[in-house]
Amino acid sequence: MSPASGGNGKVKRGRQRLPATVCPDSFEVTPEMSTWAQDRGLPADRVMSETEKFLGHHRAKGSMFANWQQAWSNWVSKAVEYARH
């Protein structure tokens, strides 16, 4: 059986998943990320505080993600959604 098969003889197709990692110590919000967050309704003065909450939460839990920028954008989207309710 080849490593690409799913155990049933069928070959898996599609993208390879990136390995999940713990949050990098060097995680930074780029100007583009900040603009993206503000365009979705997060006030500029809350971008860093939400980022600190995001990092603190996931570092404390030992969360692992393949894409930390995407995880951050999901967090920001939820923060904006929750602020509206």
Side-chain angles (χ1 to χ4, degrees), residues 21-72:
T21 63
V22 296
C23 186
D25 291 335
S26 62
F27 185 88
E28 291 185 29
V29 176
T30 65
E32 294 80 14
M33 291 166 68
S34 182
T35 299
W36 178 90
Q38 292 171 60
D39 288 348
R40 272 135 192 90
L42 188 67
D45 63 345
R46 284 195 45 214
V47 172
M48 290 316 299
S49 65
E50 281 301 325
T51 299
E52 289 169 7
K53 288 183 207 176
F54 165 76
L55 294 172
H57 173 83
H58 289 297
R59 285 178 175 150
K61 289 183 58 128
S63 300
M64 296 183 68
F65 293 108
N67 184 329
W68 278 92
Q69 286 186 338
Q70 184 62 51
W72 175 87

